[in-house]
Amino acid sequence: MAYIEQHTLQASVPVRLGLIGSGWMGAFHGESIARRIPGAVLAAVADPNVESASSVAAQLGAAKVTADAADILADPDIDAVIIASPARFHADLISRAAAAGKHVFCEKPAGQSLAELDAALLAVENGGVHFQIGFNRRYAADFQAAKKDLAEGIVGEPQLLRSLTRDPGTGSIGHAARIPAWTIFLETLIHDFDTLNWFNEGAEPVEVYAVADALVEPGLRDQGFLDTAVVTIRYSNGALAVAEANFSALYGYDVRGEVFGSKGMVQAGRPTETAALRFTADGLSADTPRLNVELFRDAYTDELADFTATVRALRDGDVPPGAFTLTPGASDAHRALAIALACIESVQQGRPVAVPARAAAGAAKDGA
């Protein structure tokens, strides 16, 4: 007996990704690509620390290892890159990747000044490649649920917004002296700035006032170290927002967002690892997450899945996913960095500072 019909199946070609940077976050992104995102392949790992790159590649099955990111950018088999190097290299790597025709996912911040970021985003536009920045909170289920309520008008017109990041700690920061200046704004609160911008969609940040200090490590205050900050932001629609951060929450990793509006309020985030509460003779308790990759494990995976899906659609000539405010692109990277840099100026000058707007020409094209 023979088969009634026989069809040729077109196997889907996986998206081949190159990882630039094999440190803490890079290694986790590499693991997501290799183990949690169907249709994606971790093809190569680049890091000046070849031992680190080789270790990550061996654990995750990446075939190619190099000390020079240029090898990945020149590789015709690589569809896109994940940039997880130290922040000072981000803008240059974005520009070089775009010039090489590689789609780009970059950890925040995408640049350390607006001038270098604008140059990198111009390279993205000229290269016709897709760009996504790693604002992972947009992919957390509770933040998406809050955004959905806001988009449907359930909360009404936003009036007061709040976002906070409290990193887990022990009451001291052993590596504080090695933390780059202004990290609390450029690499921590920048997530909160994007959350507030996303929650208050359609409005532009126009002014900030920031205060910051070394309250966890006061002995480093004279060296300019900052571990605690509070920022107020005024938006073009009149809404007022507060963002706060601290580098040492003894109870665990705590990230939350809130919007109070003319019709009600919505909140996202919780300091407990699960919704389960423990009631004993010692009182009420709950487990709390101690690492970012614990609290946002699914969000980190989903942001890369989103990136991979768009890269595949563009590569294969399919219609790319429709414009949806979930995916953070060029204008989001610029807006959040503009707030962070204004905060630095505000702390230095001790006064409110205007947030520079992105030039209309540069904002005309976003994402791909």
Side-chain angles (χ1 to χ4, degrees):
M1 183 175 180
Y3 290 114
I4 298 172
E5 292 185 30
Q6 183 172 320
H7 300 284
T8 300
L9 297 179
Q10 183 67 39
S12 176
V13 178
V15 174
R16 298 177 60 80
L17 297 157
L19 175 66
I20 301 175
S22 59
W24 167 258
M25 204 62 245
F28 187 80
H29 283 327
E31 180 185 331
S32 294
I33 294 162
R35 297 176 178 170
R36 291 187 288 274
I37 302 178
V41 171
L42 181 63
V45 181
D47 197 304
N49 184 340
V50 178
E51 184 177 345
S52 171
S54 297
S55 175
V56 169
Q59 292 176 42
L60 301 177
K64 301 174 182 178
V65 176
T66 178
D68 191 347
D71 293 327
I72 285 180
L73 301 182
D75 189 338
D77 294 332
I78 301 293
D79 296 305
V81 295
I82 308 296
I83 299 174
S85 61
R88 64 185 181 275
F89 301 119
H90 287 182
D92 179 63
L93 285 168
I94 291 169
S95 295
R96 291 166 58 197
K102 308 299 184 189
H103 302 290
V104 179
F105 176 96
C106 185
E107 269 301 331
K108 47 66 189 167
Q112 294 192 301
S113 73
L114 293 180
E116 71 170 16
L117 176 58
D118 285 341
L121 296 180
L122 180 60
V124 165
E125 183 175 340
N126 291 338
V129 299
H130 177 61
F131 171 80
Q132 182 176 328
I133 188 169
F135 288 140
N136 60 295
R137 293 183 195 179
R138 296 186 179 210
Y139 294 84
D142 48 352
F143 281 80
Q144 285 193 32
K147 174 65 176 181
K148 182 175 181 291
D149 284 350
L150 291 165
E152 292 177 355
I154 292 174
V155 178
E157 292 297 319
Q159 296 173 348
L160 297 172
L161 300 93
R162 184 183 182 213
S163 183
L164 64 85
T165 300
R166 296 172 185 166
D167 291 334
T170 61
S172 64
I173 308 170
H175 63 293
R178 302 195 304 273
I179 296 176
W182 308 113
T183 290
I184 198 162
F185 297 117
L186 294 172
E187 299 193 38
T188 300
L189 278 165
I190 198 166
H191 277 295
D192 298 275
F193 301 151
D194 179 67
T195 296
L196 294 169
N197 292 338
W198 190 47
F199 279 176
N200 195 23
E201 188 170 3
E204 292 296 325
V206 296
E207 184 181 77
V208 304
Y209 178 58
V211 292
D213 204 345
L215 302 183
V216 182
E217 293 291 346
L220 296 177
R221 183 178 290 123
D222 292 342
Q223 299 177 34
F225 178 70
L226 301 172
D227 54 44
T228 307
V230 176
V231 178
T232 57
I233 306 170
R234 183 167 59 86
Y235 281 90
S236 58
N237 63 349
L240 300 175
V242 175
E244 65 168 79
N246 183 281
F247 285 169
S248 187
L250 272 65
Y251 57 87
Y253 193 38
D254 186 3
V255 172
R256 285 174 275 156
E258 176 182 292
V259 180
F260 173 88
S262 58
K263 295 181 181 178
M265 181 179 70
V266 65
Q267 295 179 326
R270 51 179 167 71
T272 58
E273 190 169 4
T274 70
L277 297 177
R278 189 177 300 117
F279 296 81
T280 69
D282 295 325
L284 175 64
S285 65
D287 293 328
T288 57
R290 300 287 163 161
L291 296 171
N292 57 342
V293 295
E294 292 175 349
L295 182 62
F296 289 119
R297 183 182 182 86
D298 291 341
Y300 281 127
T301 301
D302 290 345
E303 67 178 351
L304 290 180
D306 179 19
F307 177 69
T308 301
T310 301
V311 170
R312 179 185 296 107
L314 292 168
R315 183 200 64 189
D316 297 346
D318 296 335
V319 178
F324 178 50
T325 57
L326 173 65
T327 306
S331 62
D332 303 301
H334 188 282
R335 192 178 291 112
L337 180 61
I339 295 176
L341 293 172
C343 287
I344 294 172
E345 185 179 348
S346 177
V347 169
Q348 290 172 328
Q349 299 187 9
R351 62 173 180 83
V353 168
V355 179
R358 190 178 181 201
K365 200 172 182 181
D366 202 359

